[in-house]
Amino acid sequence: IGHTDRTYPEFIEDLAQKYIEGPKFTKVECDSSMPELTDEFVRQRKYKARVFTQFTILLRRTVVNSSRLFIDEIVRMINIIILGLFMATLFYNINNKDMQGFMDRVGVIFMISCTMCMGALSHYLISFPEERAVLIREQASSLYDIAPYFFAKVLGEIPFSLDQPLILILLTYWVAPLAGTATAFFIQFATMFLTYQTGAAYALLIGVLITDRESLINIGPLLNMPLMLLSGFFANLDRVVPVLWPFQYLTFLKYSLAIMLRTEFERNDDLHYEIQEDGVLMDYSTDDLLELVGVDLSIGVAFACMVALYVGFLTLALVGLLFTAKRV
């Protein structure tokens, strides 16, 4: 340093030693009654509130924060209204007699199901990375545990996701028109809602594994396309190559389509399709129509598969969040 031969660390150490030996330095003795700051002490003192108390406080905060995002909610509602009006105009008054009407009816159901899936993916893939940064910061301060936060987030945001399927089904259901019975309407609405929630759980899982927001935005199409391609709408799943065979059972859009298509063709008494084959007019039954689009699952089985995927995605997301948050 300067004209001396000492290095900078040696200079700082010498300066500190001179300060300690000087008259201005006062040594403070620690209180012997204070506990030693060990890992066990930190673990015991980490969360003073009980798990249920943490959950209720975090649930209240999630609801309040979601209600404050008024502009974002309005934008999402405007988007779904515009898309719903476009679909209502495109699929207005579908006929129920020939192959063209049959394909239009399958098309509108696919669009409704796909809109719920992609809407959830786009919303949570963008919003969760910001929330994750807050979670990591509050975890470092030992404010709460991860599990209460996760369940509070999932349950607290459910009421704010009801508007998406409700608006879309009100704009398209009677315009098409789809099956007119009340039972069919509520089955379709429940399926749309479950599709949205499963898409949200899938997005949470991806958001836990990939923490960079820009990367999530860039790989969004990569996450969306397999769901659509393996849903059974674009290609017959019986011809899927062996490599992709297991992935078709993880595509929740497939089960959503199965429920909605089976509900439509089994509970709509106005449908009577006569399709010409080799110059002969054939009268197709409901089973024949469902076989044409590759629907071989019952409503109960498809619903159970969607619920299993929803719970599975949430469980994996929670485990991943526990692991990644502890490492940060």
Side-chain angles (χ1 to χ4, degrees):
I1 303 298
H3 59 279
T4 66
D5 296 331
R6 290 180 298 174
T7 61
Y8 185 76
E10 292 174 346
F11 174 77
I12 295 298
E13 184 179 357
D14 182 58
L15 185 64
Q17 185 63 33
K18 289 183 178 180
Y19 176 75
I20 293 174
E21 295 173 354
K24 294 184 178 181
F25 179 76
T26 304
K27 187 176 181 181
V28 178
E29 297 291 340
C30 296
D31 188 357
S32 59
S33 63
M34 293 181 62
E36 186 179 357
L37 192 60
T38 61
D39 293 339
E40 180 66 18
F41 173 77
V42 173
R43 186 186 65 81
Q44 293 177 355
R45 300 284 295 179
K46 192 172 184 180
Y47 307 115
K48 292 184 178 181
R50 295 180 179 179
V51 174
F52 183 75
T53 304
Q54 296 178 40
F55 170 76
T56 54
I57 295 174
L58 291 168
L59 179 62
R60 190 182 306 114
R61 188 182 74 169
T62 300
V63 173
V64 171
N65 289 343
S66 298
S67 61
R68 287 175 178 172
L69 298 175
F70 182 73
I71 301 299
D72 291 346
E73 188 65 24
I74 292 297
V75 170
R76 293 175 60 216
M77 290 178 64
I78 292 175
N79 289 338
I80 198 70
I81 289 173
I82 293 175
L83 186 58
L85 291 175
F86 179 78
M87 292 171 57
T89 304
L90 184 63
F91 295 103
Y92 173 73
N93 198 19
I94 300 174
N95 73 73
N96 52 8
K97 301 297 182 183
D98 53 19
M99 177 60 76
Q100 180 181 355
F102 169 72
M103 294 307 299
D104 287 345
R105 195 168 295 275
V106 174
V108 68
I109 291 176
F110 172 78
M111 286 301 301
I112 290 174
S113 182
C114 191
T115 300
M116 292 294 95
C117 171
M118 303 313 163
L121 283 175
S122 61
H123 173 63
Y124 281 91
L125 286 178
I126 294 175
S127 63
F128 184 69
E130 297 178 354
E131 297 181 20
R132 189 179 186 277
V134 176
L135 169 65
I136 297 302
R137 185 171 64 251
E138 293 178 342
Q139 269 291 297
S141 301
S142 300
L143 295 181
Y144 49 79
D145 205 353
I146 293 176
Y149 160 83
F150 185 83
F151 289 111
K153 174 179 173 58
V154 172
L155 295 177
E157 292 184 349
I158 286 179
F160 298 94
S161 60
L162 284 169
D163 60 329
Q164 298 290 304
L166 182 61
I167 292 174
L168 187 60
I169 197 171
L170 290 177
L171 289 175
T172 58
Y173 197 84
W174 289 282
V175 175
L178 300 180
T181 63
T183 303
F185 175 83
F186 286 109
I187 291 177
Q188 302 285 44
F189 175 74
T191 305
M192 292 169 63
F193 177 72
L194 182 58
T195 303
Y196 189 92
Q197 293 300 317
T198 308
Y202 175 64
L204 284 176
L205 175 59
I206 300 300
V208 168
L209 299 178
I210 303 176
T211 59
D212 183 61
R213 182 177 181 181
E214 294 298 329
S215 300
L216 285 173
I217 295 175
N218 292 332
I219 69 170
L222 182 62
L223 301 174
N224 296 339
M225 292 304 296
L227 294 176
M228 293 189 292
L229 294 176
L230 294 176
S231 65
F233 179 79
F234 293 103
N236 189 345
L237 296 180
D238 293 333
R239 299 190 296 109
V240 173
V241 294
V243 176
L244 297 178
W245 183 80
F247 294 99
Q248 64 174 309
Y249 297 103
L250 299 177
T251 306
F252 57 92
L253 199 57
K254 167 187 175 180
Y255 304 113
S256 175
L257 277 174
I259 299 173
M260 298 187 73
L261 287 173
R262 186 168 288 278
T263 301
E264 173 63 18
F265 289 109
E266 287 184 349
R267 298 178 182 271
N268 195 338
D269 297 331
D270 297 330
L271 301 183
H272 181 72
Y273 288 103
E274 295 180 345
I275 302 174
Q276 189 171 1
E277 290 186 1
D278 299 329
V280 180
L281 200 62
M282 304 290 293
D283 190 3
Y284 271 61
S285 65
T286 299
D287 293 334
D288 295 332
L289 294 173
L290 293 173
E291 186 178 354
L292 283 176
V293 291
V295 176
D296 55 356
L297 297 175
S298 65
I299 294 177
V301 171
F303 185 82
C305 290
M306 279 196 71
V307 172
L309 285 177
Y310 173 66
V311 175
F313 288 150
L314 287 181
T315 302
L316 291 176
L318 175 58
V319 172
L321 195 60
L322 286 168
F323 179 72
T324 55
K326 294 297 184 183
R327 291 183 60 186
V328 176

